[in-house]
Amino acid sequence: MHTAMTRVQDNWDELLVESNMQQQVWAIMRQTVEEYRQDREDRAAIARGLDTYRQGLGRLNSEQGVFEALAGLPPQQFDAVVLRYILQLKPQRIGWYMGISEQTVNYHCRQGKQRIEQAVPTLLKKDSDAITGDGSETDTKD
């Protein structure tokens, strides 16, 4: 209701010159309600997808432990990592879904990646990093 009334207020000057102001206000109200309904459906679909994905990870087996590490992330980190790197949503869309800022999405993604890297360090090493036989890291750049 607040959003609809704010939109009416934002368009007040244009509404004053309309031949049928009530019809235009009602159109704003209908559009706002439809957007709210669609947002709820989108959020519910994303939540169901994330829940299904997390449950599916528990049934998968990997020698490296990636699935276990991903499934073991705290809920916000799991959501941010899956939405960003697997579903490839933009941080702005993830922030909308999670109700947080883009910066916070990026923070959760960094934290999640760090936890996965700690759980599975050899799998996620960058091409420029190599593990020597003694376990120390060396830079392989020329």
Side-chain angles (χ1 to χ4, degrees):
M1 190 66 171
H2 176 74
T3 302
M5 297 317 291
T6 300
R7 289 179 178 174
V8 167
Q9 181 181 10
D10 291 345
N11 294 294
W12 188 250
D13 291 336
E14 293 86 13
L15 291 168
L16 287 175
V17 296
E18 287 290 332
S19 60
N20 191 343
M21 180 194 273
Q22 290 174 330
Q23 183 180 10
Q24 296 303 316
V25 170
W26 184 246
I28 291 171
M29 184 67 78
R30 275 195 326 259
Q31 179 184 4
T32 304
V33 168
E34 177 58 27
E35 289 171 3
Y36 177 77
R37 186 195 62 75
Q38 187 63 49
D39 275 359
R40 284 186 53 155
E41 286 180 9
D42 289 351
R43 288 176 193 269
I46 291 170
R48 283 190 305 273
L50 285 168
D51 188 47
T52 300
Y53 192 80
R54 186 183 283 269
Q55 291 174 7
L57 284 175
R59 292 187 290 269
L60 295 176
N61 235 349
S62 77
E63 293 176 17
Q64 297 88 7
V66 174
F67 300 137
E68 295 83 2
L70 182 58
L73 290 176
Q76 285 193 315
Q77 289 176 13
F78 175 84
D79 291 356
V81 167
V82 169
L83 292 172
R84 179 126 184 230
Y85 299 111
I86 296 173
L87 298 178
Q88 298 187 357
L89 296 180
K90 296 187 183 306
Q92 180 182 9
R93 180 76 170 159
I94 298 167
W96 163 84
Y97 167 70
M98 295 178 70
I100 57 179
S101 70
E102 288 181 53
Q103 293 80 11
T104 305
V105 169
N106 292 332
Y107 172 78
H108 286 307
C109 288
R110 280 192 311 274
Q111 294 298 309
K113 281 178 60 177
Q114 285 177 353
R115 284 178 181 246
I116 293 170
E117 287 171 350
Q118 289 171 353
V120 192
T122 57
L123 181 67
L124 299 177
K125 285 291 178 196
K126 295 179 182 172
D127 292 335
S128 64
D129 293 337
I131 304 294
T132 62
D134 64 357
S136 65
E137 293 185 10
T138 60
D139 191 355
T140 59
K141 291 182 182 177
D142 292 12

